[in-house]
Amino acid sequence: MNRFEGNRQRPDTLHAQAYLAEYRALVAQRDTLLDTLEDLQKAKRRAAVFTGELLVRRRAEGQTALLTTLNELERSLAERLQLIEQMPVGTQRTILLDRYINGWAWLEIERRMGYSERAMFALHKRALVSVEGLLAGVGALRVAE
């Protein structure tokens, strides 16, 4: 648990943080599926030479299922990125992009942006409150940087 999580986490921002934190896990899952799809396509080409039609058809069905899952993952990734992009360009948006999309450590973000831990914590909270508003459909962004 890092210093930005735990007891200081406000319940009204937990959903936004969990939603954004899924981005990196979805990227890893997508990359694994892309590797699997590539292996399946190679195997399908080999199977077409050495085996019958039934095996080729089964592999094609597996490929279709993988493509469907990949499309769903891409949609989920795009939704999270679009949510952050709805925020006005500024410090809060940068913090969310660096942390949740780029996967940077808090210390690196603090160092890069020149903020203290306390200031970073406050900006992060405000950004998450804005994201919660967007997720709830309120559309109200708190822009107090």
Side-chain angles (χ1 to χ4, degrees), residues 39-64:
D39 292 343
L40 187 60
Q41 289 170 338
K42 288 177 185 174
K44 182 177 156 187
R45 285 190 292 270
R46 285 191 306 265
V49 174
F50 297 111
T51 62
E53 176 78 21
L54 182 60
L55 184 57
V56 172
R57 198 172 323 128
R58 284 186 185 154
R59 288 203 169 125
E61 290 168 2
Q63 182 176 342
T64 302

Side-chain angles (χ1 to χ4, degrees), residues 97-117:
L97 285 171
D98 287 349
R99 179 63 181 169
Y100 298 107
I101 305 304
N102 299 327
W104 291 8
W106 284 115
L107 193 58
E108 178 63 29
I109 298 169
E110 286 173 19
R111 201 174 294 129
R112 183 174 159 262
M113 296 183 77
Y115 285 105
S116 68
E117 177 182 342

